[in-house]
mmCIF file of all heavy atoms in Angstrom:
data_model
loop_
_atom_site.group_PDB
_atom_site.id
_atom_site.type_symbol
_atom_site.label_atom_id
_atom_site.label_comp_id
_atom_site.label_asym_id
_atom_site.label_seq_id
_atom_site.Cartn_x
_atom_site.Cartn_y
_atom_site.Cartn_z
ATOM 1 N N ALA A 790 13.830 -38.737 -55.982
ATOM 2 C CA ALA A 790 13.270 -37.801 -56.970
ATOM 3 C C ALA A 790 11.805 -38.096 -57.271
ATOM 4 O O ALA A 790 11.362 -38.047 -58.421
ATOM 5 C CB ALA A 790 14.097 -37.844 -58.253
ATOM 6 N N GLY A 791 11.040 -38.422 -56.221
ATOM 7 C CA GLY A 791 9.616 -38.657 -56.391
ATOM 8 C C GLY A 791 9.239 -40.034 -56.893
ATOM 9 O O GLY A 791 8.071 -40.308 -57.159
ATOM 10 N N HIS A 792 10.214 -40.928 -57.007
ATOM 11 C CA HIS A 792 9.974 -42.286 -57.485
ATOM 12 C C HIS A 792 10.310 -43.289 -56.381
ATOM 13 O O HIS A 792 11.249 -43.081 -55.607
ATOM 14 C CB HIS A 792 10.851 -42.605 -58.695
ATOM 15 C CG HIS A 792 10.568 -41.759 -59.902
ATOM 16 N ND1 HIS A 792 9.863 -42.221 -60.994
ATOM 17 C CD2 HIS A 792 10.911 -40.473 -60.186
ATOM 18 C CE1 HIS A 792 9.773 -41.266 -61.895
ATOM 19 N NE2 HIS A 792 10.408 -40.193 -61.441
ATOM 20 N N ALA A 793 9.583 -44.386 -56.342
ATOM 21 C CA ALA A 793 9.969 -45.518 -55.495
ATOM 22 C C ALA A 793 10.987 -46.335 -56.272
ATOM 23 O O ALA A 793 10.728 -46.745 -57.414
ATOM 24 C CB ALA A 793 8.753 -46.366 -55.149
ATOM 25 N N VAL A 794 12.160 -46.561 -55.684
ATOM 26 C CA VAL A 794 13.226 -47.308 -56.351
ATOM 27 C C VAL A 794 13.737 -48.393 -55.406
ATOM 28 O O VAL A 794 13.473 -48.364 -54.206
ATOM 29 C CB VAL A 794 14.404 -46.393 -56.769
ATOM 30 C CG1 VAL A 794 13.922 -45.292 -57.707
ATOM 31 C CG2 VAL A 794 15.099 -45.786 -55.549
ATOM 32 N N SER A 795 14.477 -49.333 -55.961
ATOM 33 C CA SER A 795 15.059 -50.382 -55.127
ATOM 34 C C SER A 795 15.996 -49.772 -54.093
ATOM 35 O O SER A 795 16.722 -48.817 -54.376
ATOM 36 C CB SER A 795 15.816 -51.387 -55.999
ATOM 37 O OG SER A 795 16.736 -50.746 -56.864
ATOM 38 N N ALA A 796 15.973 -50.305 -52.890
ATOM 39 C CA ALA A 796 16.804 -49.764 -51.806
ATOM 40 C C ALA A 796 18.280 -49.824 -52.165
ATOM 41 O O ALA A 796 19.069 -48.947 -51.789
ATOM 42 C CB ALA A 796 16.537 -50.534 -50.516
ATOM 43 N N ILE A 797 18.678 -50.858 -52.876
ATOM 44 C CA ILE A 797 20.047 -50.981 -53.378
ATOM 45 C C ILE A 797 19.998 -50.917 -54.899
ATOM 46 O O ILE A 797 19.294 -51.696 -55.539
ATOM 47 C CB ILE A 797 20.704 -52.293 -52.907
ATOM 48 C CG1 ILE A 797 20.817 -52.298 -51.378
ATOM 49 C CG2 ILE A 797 22.082 -52.474 -53.543
ATOM 50 C CD1 ILE A 797 21.396 -53.576 -50.789
ATOM 51 N N GLY A 798 20.705 -49.943 -55.454
ATOM 52 C CA GLY A 798 20.748 -49.786 -56.900
ATOM 53 C C GLY A 798 22.004 -50.419 -57.472
ATOM 54 O O GLY A 798 22.725 -51.157 -56.793
ATOM 55 N N LEU A 799 22.278 -50.104 -58.727
ATOM 56 C CA LEU A 799 23.472 -50.617 -59.383
ATOM 57 C C LEU A 799 24.272 -49.461 -59.966
ATOM 58 O O LEU A 799 23.775 -48.722 -60.821
ATOM 59 C CB LEU A 799 23.109 -51.596 -60.505
ATOM 60 C CG LEU A 799 24.317 -52.197 -61.251
ATOM 61 C CD1 LEU A 799 25.129 -53.105 -60.333
ATOM 62 C CD2 LEU A 799 23.876 -52.953 -62.497
ATOM 63 N N GLY A 800 25.507 -49.316 -59.490
ATOM 64 C CA GLY A 800 26.443 -48.405 -60.114
ATOM 65 C C GLY A 800 27.059 -49.108 -61.309
ATOM 66 O O GLY A 800 27.676 -50.163 -61.169
ATOM 67 N N CYS A 801 26.881 -48.543 -62.497
ATOM 68 C CA CYS A 801 27.270 -49.243 -63.723
ATOM 69 C C CYS A 801 28.705 -48.957 -64.158
ATOM 70 O O CYS A 801 29.174 -49.552 -65.141
ATOM 71 C CB CYS A 801 26.311 -48.863 -64.849
ATOM 72 S SG CYS A 801 24.594 -49.324 -64.522
ATOM 73 N N MET A 802 29.418 -48.089 -63.461
ATOM 74 C CA MET A 802 30.749 -47.667 -63.884
ATOM 75 C C MET A 802 31.692 -48.831 -64.152
ATOM 76 O O MET A 802 32.409 -48.846 -65.153
ATOM 77 C CB MET A 802 31.374 -46.744 -62.828
ATOM 78 C CG MET A 802 32.763 -46.241 -63.203
ATOM 79 S SD MET A 802 33.534 -45.230 -61.913
ATOM 80 C CE MET A 802 34.050 -46.499 -60.748
ATOM 81 N N ASN A 803 31.714 -49.808 -63.249
ATOM 82 C CA ASN A 803 32.673 -50.923 -63.348
ATOM 83 C C ASN A 803 32.607 -51.654 -64.674
ATOM 84 O O ASN A 803 33.586 -52.276 -65.091
ATOM 85 C CB ASN A 803 32.412 -51.956 -62.233
ATOM 86 C CG ASN A 803 32.400 -51.363 -60.857
ATOM 87 O OD1 ASN A 803 31.803 -50.309 -60.631
ATOM 88 N ND2 ASN A 803 33.033 -52.026 -59.913
ATOM 89 N N LEU A 804 31.465 -51.565 -65.341
ATOM 90 C CA LEU A 804 31.283 -52.314 -66.579
ATOM 91 C C LEU A 804 32.005 -51.681 -67.762
ATOM 92 O O LEU A 804 32.101 -52.300 -68.822
ATOM 93 C CB LEU A 804 29.786 -52.443 -66.894
ATOM 94 C CG LEU A 804 28.960 -53.196 -65.844
ATOM 95 C CD1 LEU A 804 27.483 -53.138 -66.185
ATOM 96 C CD2 LEU A 804 29.432 -54.646 -65.724
ATOM 97 N N SER A 805 32.510 -50.442 -67.581
ATOM 98 C CA SER A 805 33.164 -49.751 -68.690
ATOM 99 C C SER A 805 34.374 -48.917 -68.303
ATOM 100 O O SER A 805 35.045 -48.386 -69.192
ATOM 101 C CB SER A 805 32.159 -48.803 -69.382
ATOM 102 O OG SER A 805 30.975 -49.434 -69.755
ATOM 103 N N HIS A 806 34.673 -48.780 -67.002
ATOM 104 C CA HIS A 806 35.558 -47.694 -66.619
ATOM 105 C C HIS A 806 36.225 -47.956 -65.266
ATOM 106 O O HIS A 806 35.639 -48.583 -64.389
ATOM 107 C CB HIS A 806 34.694 -46.410 -66.508
ATOM 108 C CG HIS A 806 35.437 -45.138 -66.304
ATOM 109 N ND1 HIS A 806 35.975 -44.415 -67.341
ATOM 110 C CD2 HIS A 806 35.723 -44.437 -65.186
ATOM 111 C CE1 HIS A 806 36.551 -43.322 -66.871
ATOM 112 N NE2 HIS A 806 36.422 -43.316 -65.562
ATOM 113 N N ALA A 807 37.437 -47.466 -65.139
ATOM 114 C CA ALA A 807 38.108 -47.197 -63.862
ATOM 115 C C ALA A 807 38.811 -48.355 -63.182
ATOM 116 O O ALA A 807 39.800 -48.147 -62.484
ATOM 117 C CB ALA A 807 37.145 -46.551 -62.852
ATOM 118 N N TYR A 808 38.335 -49.591 -63.332
ATOM 119 C CA TYR A 808 38.928 -50.697 -62.602
ATOM 120 C C TYR A 808 39.587 -51.715 -63.539
ATOM 121 O O TYR A 808 39.369 -52.920 -63.427
ATOM 122 C CB TYR A 808 37.881 -51.381 -61.721
ATOM 123 C CG TYR A 808 37.380 -50.497 -60.592
ATOM 124 C CD1 TYR A 808 36.029 -50.447 -60.270
ATOM 125 C CD2 TYR A 808 38.261 -49.713 -59.851
ATOM 126 C CE1 TYR A 808 35.573 -49.639 -59.232
ATOM 127 C CE2 TYR A 808 37.806 -48.907 -58.829
ATOM 128 C CZ TYR A 808 36.464 -48.869 -58.509
ATOM 129 O OH TYR A 808 36.019 -48.068 -57.495
ATOM 130 N N GLY A 809 40.396 -51.214 -64.467
ATOM 131 C CA GLY A 809 41.091 -52.114 -65.372
ATOM 132 C C GLY A 809 40.267 -52.431 -66.600
ATOM 133 O O GLY A 809 39.397 -51.668 -67.014
ATOM 134 N N THR A 810 40.513 -53.591 -67.187
ATOM 135 C CA THR A 810 39.850 -53.982 -68.437
ATOM 136 C C THR A 810 38.384 -54.323 -68.177
ATOM 137 O O THR A 810 38.085 -55.196 -67.364
ATOM 138 C CB THR A 810 40.555 -55.200 -69.061
ATOM 139 O OG1 THR A 810 41.933 -54.890 -69.254
ATOM 140 C CG2 THR A 810 39.918 -55.555 -70.397
ATOM 141 N N PRO A 811 37.452 -53.656 -68.864
ATOM 142 C CA PRO A 811 36.035 -53.957 -68.641
ATOM 143 C C PRO A 811 35.650 -55.302 -69.242
ATOM 144 O O PRO A 811 36.334 -55.816 -70.140
ATOM 145 C CB PRO A 811 35.310 -52.807 -69.352
ATOM 146 C CG PRO A 811 36.268 -52.316 -70.381
ATOM 147 C CD PRO A 811 37.640 -52.545 -69.814
ATOM 148 N N PRO A 812 34.564 -55.889 -68.789
ATOM 149 C CA PRO A 812 34.133 -57.180 -69.331
ATOM 150 C C PRO A 812 33.603 -57.021 -70.755
ATOM 151 O O PRO A 812 33.215 -55.923 -71.164
ATOM 152 C CB PRO A 812 33.010 -57.605 -68.378
ATOM 153 C CG PRO A 812 32.462 -56.312 -67.857
ATOM 154 C CD PRO A 812 33.648 -55.392 -67.745
ATOM 155 N N PRO A 813 33.572 -58.111 -71.538
ATOM 156 C CA PRO A 813 32.966 -58.047 -72.865
ATOM 157 C C PRO A 813 31.483 -57.706 -72.778
ATOM 158 O O PRO A 813 30.843 -57.901 -71.731
ATOM 159 C CB PRO A 813 33.162 -59.456 -73.432
ATOM 160 C CG PRO A 813 33.896 -60.237 -72.427
ATOM 161 C CD PRO A 813 34.065 -59.429 -71.183
ATOM 162 N N PHE A 814 30.940 -57.219 -73.886
ATOM 163 C CA PHE A 814 29.534 -56.788 -73.912
ATOM 164 C C PHE A 814 28.604 -57.868 -73.394
ATOM 165 O O PHE A 814 27.697 -57.605 -72.606
ATOM 166 C CB PHE A 814 29.123 -56.376 -75.334
ATOM 167 C CG PHE A 814 27.649 -56.137 -75.464
ATOM 168 C CD1 PHE A 814 27.078 -54.953 -75.018
ATOM 169 C CD2 PHE A 814 26.807 -57.129 -75.982
ATOM 170 C CE1 PHE A 814 25.708 -54.746 -75.105
ATOM 171 C CE2 PHE A 814 25.439 -56.928 -76.069
ATOM 172 C CZ PHE A 814 24.889 -55.731 -75.632
ATOM 173 N N GLU A 815 28.790 -59.100 -73.830
ATOM 174 C CA GLU A 815 27.860 -60.171 -73.460
ATOM 175 C C GLU A 815 27.806 -60.376 -71.949
ATOM 176 O O GLU A 815 26.727 -60.608 -71.380
ATOM 177 C CB GLU A 815 28.260 -61.479 -74.157
ATOM 178 C CG GLU A 815 28.089 -61.469 -75.662
ATOM 179 C CD GLU A 815 29.179 -60.700 -76.394
ATOM 180 O OE1 GLU A 815 30.232 -60.387 -75.770
ATOM 181 O OE2 GLU A 815 28.988 -60.392 -77.587
ATOM 182 N N GLU A 816 28.954 -60.276 -71.280
ATOM 183 C CA GLU A 816 28.978 -60.435 -69.826
ATOM 184 C C GLU A 816 28.304 -59.252 -69.138
ATOM 185 O O GLU A 816 27.562 -59.420 -68.161
ATOM 186 C CB GLU A 816 30.416 -60.583 -69.336
ATOM 187 C CG GLU A 816 31.067 -61.902 -69.717
ATOM 188 C CD GLU A 816 32.473 -62.039 -69.152
ATOM 189 O OE1 GLU A 816 32.811 -61.304 -68.201
ATOM 190 O OE2 GLU A 816 33.230 -62.881 -69.674
ATOM 191 N N ALA A 817 28.572 -58.050 -69.632
ATOM 192 C CA ALA A 817 27.946 -56.863 -69.057
ATOM 193 C C ALA A 817 26.435 -56.907 -69.249
ATOM 194 O O ALA A 817 25.666 -56.557 -68.336
ATOM 195 C CB ALA A 817 28.525 -55.611 -69.706
ATOM 196 N N GLU A 818 26.009 -57.348 -70.415
ATOM 197 C CA GLU A 818 24.572 -57.469 -70.694
ATOM 198 C C GLU A 818 23.927 -58.452 -69.720
ATOM 199 O O GLU A 818 22.849 -58.157 -69.152
ATOM 200 C CB GLU A 818 24.368 -57.947 -72.130
ATOM 201 C CG GLU A 818 22.908 -58.126 -72.510
ATOM 202 C CD GLU A 818 22.745 -58.658 -73.925
ATOM 203 O OE1 GLU A 818 23.562 -59.524 -74.330
ATOM 204 O OE2 GLU A 818 21.803 -58.220 -74.608
ATOM 205 N N ARG A 819 24.562 -59.591 -69.491
ATOM 206 C CA ARG A 819 23.997 -60.583 -68.566
ATOM 207 C C ARG A 819 23.874 -60.005 -67.165
ATOM 208 O O ARG A 819 22.878 -60.247 -66.466
ATOM 209 C CB ARG A 819 24.863 -61.852 -68.539
ATOM 210 C CG ARG A 819 24.632 -62.775 -69.731
ATOM 211 C CD ARG A 819 25.217 -64.161 -69.489
ATOM 212 N NE ARG A 819 26.675 -64.135 -69.457
ATOM 213 C CZ ARG A 819 27.445 -64.253 -70.525
ATOM 214 N NH1 ARG A 819 26.893 -64.405 -71.724
ATOM 215 N NH2 ARG A 819 28.754 -64.231 -70.415
ATOM 216 N N LEU A 820 24.862 -59.238 -66.746
ATOM 217 C CA LEU A 820 24.815 -58.670 -65.402
ATOM 218 C C LEU A 820 23.683 -57.653 -65.275
ATOM 219 O O LEU A 820 22.933 -57.663 -64.286
ATOM 220 C CB LEU A 820 26.158 -58.023 -65.051
ATOM 221 C CG LEU A 820 26.233 -57.560 -63.592
ATOM 222 C CD1 LEU A 820 27.528 -58.014 -62.934
ATOM 223 C CD2 LEU A 820 26.097 -56.055 -63.466
ATOM 224 N N LEU A 821 23.534 -56.779 -66.252
ATOM 225 C CA LEU A 821 22.468 -55.775 -66.196
ATOM 226 C C LEU A 821 21.088 -56.440 -66.180
ATOM 227 O O LEU A 821 20.195 -56.035 -65.408
ATOM 228 C CB LEU A 821 22.583 -54.821 -67.386
ATOM 229 C CG LEU A 821 23.768 -53.852 -67.355
ATOM 230 C CD1 LEU A 821 23.903 -53.147 -68.701
ATOM 231 C CD2 LEU A 821 23.618 -52.826 -66.236
ATOM 232 N N LEU A 822 20.920 -57.454 -66.985
ATOM 233 C CA LEU A 822 19.621 -58.132 -67.031
ATOM 234 C C LEU A 822 19.364 -58.937 -65.760
ATOM 235 O O LEU A 822 18.215 -59.044 -65.299
ATOM 236 C CB LEU A 822 19.543 -59.032 -68.266
ATOM 237 C CG LEU A 822 19.542 -58.276 -69.604
ATOM 238 C CD1 LEU A 822 19.546 -59.256 -70.764
ATOM 239 C CD2 LEU A 822 18.354 -57.320 -69.699
ATOM 240 N N ARG A 823 20.437 -59.476 -65.173
ATOM 241 C CA ARG A 823 20.264 -60.180 -63.897
ATOM 242 C C ARG A 823 19.866 -59.208 -62.796
ATOM 243 O O ARG A 823 19.044 -59.534 -61.929
ATOM 244 C CB ARG A 823 21.563 -60.917 -63.528
ATOM 245 C CG ARG A 823 21.492 -61.678 -62.210
ATOM 246 C CD ARG A 823 20.406 -62.735 -62.221
ATOM 247 N NE ARG A 823 20.343 -63.474 -60.965
ATOM 248 C CZ ARG A 823 19.208 -63.933 -60.445
ATOM 249 N NH1 ARG A 823 18.045 -63.750 -61.064
ATOM 250 N NH2 ARG A 823 19.239 -64.590 -59.300
ATOM 251 N N ALA A 824 20.425 -58.004 -62.846
ATOM 252 C CA ALA A 824 20.028 -56.977 -61.870
ATOM 253 C C ALA A 824 18.530 -56.693 -61.982
ATOM 254 O O ALA A 824 17.832 -56.577 -60.961
ATOM 255 C CB ALA A 824 20.835 -55.708 -62.090
ATOM 256 N N LEU A 825 18.032 -56.591 -63.205
ATOM 257 C CA LEU A 825 16.590 -56.408 -63.395
ATOM 258 C C LEU A 825 15.810 -57.561 -62.777
ATOM 259 O O LEU A 825 14.809 -57.355 -62.081
ATOM 260 C CB LEU A 825 16.267 -56.337 -64.887
ATOM 261 C CG LEU A 825 16.347 -55.005 -65.613
ATOM 262 C CD1 LEU A 825 15.985 -55.210 -67.076
ATOM 263 C CD2 LEU A 825 15.441 -53.971 -64.980
ATOM 264 N N ASP A 826 16.261 -58.784 -63.017
ATOM 265 C CA ASP A 826 15.588 -59.971 -62.471
ATOM 266 C C ASP A 826 15.540 -59.934 -60.943
ATOM 267 O O ASP A 826 14.583 -60.433 -60.337
ATOM 268 C CB ASP A 826 16.305 -61.252 -62.910
ATOM 269 C CG ASP A 826 16.153 -61.552 -64.384
ATOM 270 O OD1 ASP A 826 15.231 -60.986 -65.015
ATOM 271 O OD2 ASP A 826 16.955 -62.339 -64.912
ATOM 272 N N LEU A 827 16.582 -59.362 -60.341
ATOM 273 C CA LEU A 827 16.672 -59.309 -58.883
ATOM 274 C C LEU A 827 15.870 -58.152 -58.285
ATOM 275 O O LEU A 827 15.855 -57.966 -57.073
ATOM 276 C CB LEU A 827 18.142 -59.184 -58.460
ATOM 277 C CG LEU A 827 19.022 -60.413 -58.734
ATOM 278 C CD1 LEU A 827 20.493 -60.079 -58.528
ATOM 279 C CD2 LEU A 827 18.611 -61.580 -57.828
ATOM 280 N N GLY A 828 15.236 -57.367 -59.140
ATOM 281 C CA GLY A 828 14.398 -56.279 -58.650
ATOM 282 C C GLY A 828 15.077 -54.933 -58.584
ATOM 283 O O GLY A 828 14.506 -53.974 -58.047
ATOM 284 N N VAL A 829 16.290 -54.823 -59.112
ATOM 285 C CA VAL A 829 16.965 -53.521 -59.139
ATOM 286 C C VAL A 829 16.231 -52.625 -60.132
ATOM 287 O O VAL A 829 15.957 -53.026 -61.268
ATOM 288 C CB VAL A 829 18.443 -53.667 -59.551
ATOM 289 C CG1 VAL A 829 19.097 -52.296 -59.715
ATOM 290 C CG2 VAL A 829 19.194 -54.493 -58.514
ATOM 291 N N THR A 830 15.930 -51.405 -59.699
ATOM 292 C CA THR A 830 15.289 -50.447 -60.605
ATOM 293 C C THR A 830 16.121 -49.182 -60.788
ATOM 294 O O THR A 830 15.902 -48.444 -61.742
ATOM 295 C CB THR A 830 13.888 -50.049 -60.102
ATOM 296 O OG1 THR A 830 13.991 -49.512 -58.774
ATOM 297 C CG2 THR A 830 12.961 -51.256 -60.092
ATOM 298 N N HIS A 831 17.062 -48.936 -59.894
ATOM 299 C CA HIS A 831 17.882 -47.720 -59.932
ATOM 300 C C HIS A 831 19.228 -48.051 -60.583
ATOM 301 O O HIS A 831 20.039 -48.774 -60.009
ATOM 302 C CB HIS A 831 18.068 -47.203 -58.492
ATOM 303 C CG HIS A 831 18.950 -46.010 -58.363
ATOM 304 N ND1 HIS A 831 19.495 -45.622 -57.154
ATOM 305 C CD2 HIS A 831 19.391 -45.101 -59.270
ATOM 306 C CE1 HIS A 831 20.226 -44.544 -57.321
ATOM 307 N NE2 HIS A 831 20.187 -44.208 -58.601
ATOM 308 N N PHE A 832 19.453 -47.522 -61.782
ATOM 309 C CA PHE A 832 20.698 -47.748 -62.515
ATOM 310 C C PHE A 832 21.408 -46.412 -62.700
ATOM 311 O O PHE A 832 20.816 -45.452 -63.195
ATOM 312 C CB PHE A 832 20.413 -48.392 -63.879
ATOM 313 C CG PHE A 832 19.907 -49.801 -63.777
ATOM 314 C CD1 PHE A 832 18.553 -50.051 -63.560
ATOM 315 C CD2 PHE A 832 20.774 -50.882 -63.892
ATOM 316 C CE1 PHE A 832 18.076 -51.358 -63.463
ATOM 317 C CE2 PHE A 832 20.305 -52.185 -63.790
ATOM 318 C CZ PHE A 832 18.958 -52.427 -63.575
ATOM 319 N N ASP A 833 22.687 -46.373 -62.313
ATOM 320 C CA ASP A 833 23.448 -45.125 -62.313
ATOM 321 C C ASP A 833 24.630 -45.211 -63.271
ATOM 322 O O ASP A 833 25.477 -46.105 -63.160
ATOM 323 C CB ASP A 833 23.964 -44.850 -60.890
ATOM 324 C CG ASP A 833 24.787 -43.577 -60.813
ATOM 325 O OD1 ASP A 833 25.998 -43.626 -61.096
ATOM 326 O OD2 ASP A 833 24.209 -42.529 -60.468
ATOM 327 N N THR A 834 24.704 -44.273 -64.214
ATOM 328 C CA THR A 834 25.799 -44.216 -65.160
ATOM 329 C C THR A 834 26.283 -42.763 -65.247
ATOM 330 O O THR A 834 25.933 -41.939 -64.422
ATOM 331 C CB THR A 834 25.360 -44.768 -66.544
ATOM 332 O OG1 THR A 834 26.463 -44.711 -67.451
ATOM 333 C CG2 THR A 834 24.178 -44.025 -67.112
ATOM 334 N N ALA A 835 27.118 -42.452 -66.252
ATOM 335 C CA ALA A 835 27.654 -41.087 -66.405
ATOM 336 C C ALA A 835 28.272 -40.937 -67.778
ATOM 337 O O ALA A 835 28.771 -41.907 -68.369
ATOM 338 C CB ALA A 835 28.704 -40.788 -65.335
ATOM 339 N N ALA A 836 28.280 -39.704 -68.261
ATOM 340 C CA ALA A 836 28.944 -39.411 -69.534
ATOM 341 C C ALA A 836 30.427 -39.764 -69.466
ATOM 342 O O ALA A 836 31.022 -40.173 -70.456
ATOM 343 C CB ALA A 836 28.764 -37.940 -69.888
#
Side-chain angles (χ1 to χ4, degrees):
H792 296 256
V794 301
S795 52
I797 297 177
L799 180 67
C801 299
M802 181 183 77
N803 306 44
L804 299 174
S805 307
H806 188 84
Y808 293 137
T810 304
F814 171 79
E815 292 77 14
E816 290 183 19
E818 179 182 38
R819 281 195 291 272
L820 187 132
L821 289 170
L822 293 177
R823 180 60 180 146
L825 273 180
D826 290 342
L827 292 169
V829 174
T830 57
H831 177 197
F832 292 84
D833 179 275
T834 181

